[in-house]
Amino acid sequence: KREITSESHNIILKSEPVGLLVDGIGDVVNASEADIKAPPANIGKIESEFIQAVVKQDNELLVVLSAKRILDYRNGQNGR
C-alpha cells in the first residue's frame, strides 16, 4: 500500500464513472485532434492492448492510455 502525499491527486474520468488516485502529475498537455494518431504497429501486443493513441508534439511521442482497458483488465474483464 502506498502512502498518500501532498503530490497525490485524484483524477476523475469523464468517460467512466470512476476516479483514480495517482502518485503525481508530471505535465498536462493540450492536443488538437489532428495531433492524435493511432498507435504505431511496432509496439508489442500486450502494450498495444492498453494504448489508445499517440500524440506527437515537437520531438516527443506521448502515449495516450485507455483508462477503460486498464480498469477492465484490473477487474478481470480482459477477455482472457
Side-chain angles (χ1 to χ4, degrees), residues 1-17:
K1 186 173 181 178
R2 293 189 180 196
E3 183 179 324
I4 297 174
T5 69
S6 61
E7 295 295 314
S8 301
H9 288 77
N10 191 16
I11 299 174
I12 307 300
L13 302 178
K14 292 180 182 180
S15 60
E16 299 289 324

Side-chain angles (χ1 to χ4, degrees), residues 49-50 65-75:
E49 188 174 338
F50 302 108
L65 297 174
S66 171
K68 178 171 180 22
R69 291 182 201 149
I70 292 169
L71 292 171
D72 285 350
Y73 182 85
R74 177 75 173 125
N75 291 324

Side-chain angles (χ1 to χ4, degrees), residues 7-80:
E7 295 295 314
S8 301
H9 288 77
N10 191 16
I11 299 174
I12 307 300
L13 302 178
K14 292 180 182 180
S15 60
E16 299 289 324
V18 67
L20 301 172
L21 180 62
V22 298
D23 293 335
I25 298 174
D27 290 316
V28 176
V29 177
N30 289 318
S32 70
E33 284 193 42
D35 293 332
I36 301 171
K37 307 291 183 193
N42 63 344
I43 59 174
K45 182 179 182 325
I46 292 175
E47 292 87 354
S48 67
E49 188 174 338
F50 302 108
I51 297 175
Q52 182 173 333
V54 293
V55 175
K56 184 172 185 191
Q57 286 196 333
D58 299 322
N59 292 326
E60 297 183 320
L61 189 65
L62 308 174
V63 175
V64 179
L65 297 174
S66 171
K68 178 171 180 22
R69 291 182 201 149
I70 292 169
L71 292 171
D72 285 350
Y73 182 85
R74 177 75 173 125
N75 291 324
Q77 301 172 10
N78 57 340
R80 290 185 190 177

